Amino acid sequence: MMASPTSPRVLFLSLFVTLSMILHLSSARKLSESDPQLQFQYHRGPLLTGKISVNLIWYGKFKPSQKAIVADFITSLSSSKPLTAQPSVATWWKATDKYYKNSFPKLALSLGSQIVDENYSLGKSLTTNQILKLASKGPQRNAINIVLTSAEVAVEGFCSSRCGTHGSSVGARVNGKRYKFAYMWVGNSETQCPGQCAWPFHQPIYGPQNPAPLVAPNNDVGLDGMVINVASLLAGTVTNPFGNGYFQGPKEAPLEAGSACTGVYGKGAYPGYAGNLLVDPTTGASYNANGVNGRKYLLPALVDPKTSSCSTLV
């Protein structure tokens, strides 16, 4: 019998301007050390360790090229290919190592299975419980199952308050034992709310307006926006998988390793400005990380737990 989810953590990217004003006047600014509500703290819970497969559940219509953008990102997290240019996705991900104190076995993520549900088995309007049901279709031992919903799928709270979530649940019995697995959901916001969930590749709905949005590195506003949200939530998942790891603020709506740095992508970032980024001379696309297969990505800053500051790649 499936257990109910344990307080899914929510990524409020729709509030990026407000959060940026409070927390991120620059990429080097420390989170407040005098206000206990803004302390980035460890709450003594377990983190994810060992070999973890990242399984993708594609719900709705996605082109093969779109699936490749996300799959290549997951593969890039642990890529040791010497041909990968710097700064790299793997270098960005290594920032999460600072959350682990002599943990063994060491966390090692890899791309696992990919499950496709193009026929909308649960309809085109999903509840939070249905997201968990979809996530449960993936392997449940040593796994992070990511549900990715296509542009025409509405999800409870999507756009109005969130761009994605992560949580955990107890899965089915495997060899007589039940294992707790982590899961995530991220939606494609290209047609529903790109100004909220695909910024800075689309003009924001609120706050300062730049002359023009940035060019998406993979030429897909929706999928490049999804990668940002997947990256932020993945960092939150491994450092706060069960709601008692690293976070600041209330447990019901915590700021985590990625979400605490919302809106910061490069040095010099401020509300409405993503920071000083790299620009592809051929396409004009903005990015800050190189991946496998010649991919380029824009990834959020992560909180450095040792300095309580947002650390950027560039």
Side-chain angles (χ1 to χ4, degrees):
M1 184 174 179
M2 184 60 61
S4 60
T6 57
S7 300
R9 268 66 70 193
V10 179
L11 182 64
F12 289 99
L13 285 188
S14 59
L15 301 179
F16 75 90
V17 173
T18 303
L19 290 174
S20 295
M21 289 180 176
I22 296 173
L23 298 173
H24 316 303
L25 295 182
S26 77
S27 60
R29 176 176 175 176
K30 287 190 175 183
L31 303 176
S32 173
E33 295 179 346
S34 60
D35 185 345
Q37 289 188 328
L38 290 181
Q39 293 265 357
F40 205 78
Q41 298 176 339
Y42 177 48
H43 296 80
R44 302 183 180 277
L47 310 184
L48 294 187
T49 59
K51 294 182 179 179
I52 302 290
S53 64
V54 180
N55 306 297
L56 306 178
I57 295 99
W58 299 96
Y59 189 82
K61 306 292 185 183
F62 287 93
K63 299 174 184 177
S65 59
Q66 293 180 315
K67 294 176 184 176
I69 293 171
V70 178
D72 283 350
F73 168 68
I74 300 299
T75 300
S76 298
L77 293 169
S78 57
S79 174
S80 58
K81 291 183 178 180
L83 297 179
T84 302
Q86 293 296 327
S88 69
V89 174
T91 300
W92 172 82
W93 184 246
K94 280 189 68 66
T96 61
D97 288 350
K98 296 182 180 181
Y99 289 83
Y100 290 81
K101 300 176 181 178
N102 302 319
S103 293
F104 187 83
K106 193 173 182 180
L107 175 66
L109 298 184
S110 62
L111 179 64
S113 59
Q114 297 192 56
I115 299 169
V116 177
D117 185 342
E118 290 187 335
N119 297 320
Y120 313 98
S121 62
L122 299 179
K124 293 186 178 181
S125 182
L126 304 178
T127 65
T128 299
N129 286 337
Q130 287 175 316
I131 291 294
L132 175 56
K133 186 175 181 179
L134 289 171
S136 300
K137 291 184 176 183
Q140 297 175 4
R141 185 178 179 184
N142 299 324
I144 300 173
N145 294 338
I146 305 179
V147 177
L148 300 157
T149 52
S150 58
E152 65 277 8
V153 176
V155 177
E156 181 181 355
F158 188 29
C159 295
S160 63
S161 63
R162 60 186 183 175
C163 304
T165 58
H166 80 87
S168 62
S169 182
V170 177
R173 289 187 180 277
V174 179
N175 297 327
K177 296 182 65 175
R178 290 184 184 273
Y179 296 90
K180 185 176 275 190
F181 72 96
Y183 69 92
M184 293 166 40
W185 157 72
V186 172
N188 184 343
S189 66
E190 183 175 15
T191 57
Q192 296 186 52
C193 55
Q196 291 160 289
C197 297
W199 185 86
F201 305 129
H202 191 280
Q203 290 287 59
I205 294 178
Y206 309 106
Q209 302 291 309
N210 286 331
L214 301 182
V215 177
N218 293 285
N219 198 33
D220 190 315
V221 170
L223 267 293
D224 279 299
M226 289 183 84
V227 168
I228 290 174
N229 298 332
V230 167
S232 181
L233 284 165
L234 197 58
T237 296
V238 301
T239 58
N240 186 30
F242 309 119
N244 54 5
Y246 284 91
F247 65 89
Q248 65 180 33
K251 182 177 181 179
E252 297 74 23
L255 290 175
E256 299 173 323
S259 61
C261 293
T262 298
V264 178
Y265 299 94
K267 289 180 172 60
Y270 55 81
Y273 175 61
N276 300 320
L277 304 175
L278 302 174
V279 178
D280 187 303
T282 302
T283 65
S286 295
Y287 69 101
N288 60 7
N290 293 280
V292 299
N293 298 325
R295 294 281 184 189
K296 291 178 170 56
Y297 296 101
L298 184 64
L299 304 178
L302 298 179
V303 172
D304 184 331
K306 296 183 179 180
T307 62
S308 291
S309 64
C310 292
S311 177
T312 61
L313 273 175
V314 296

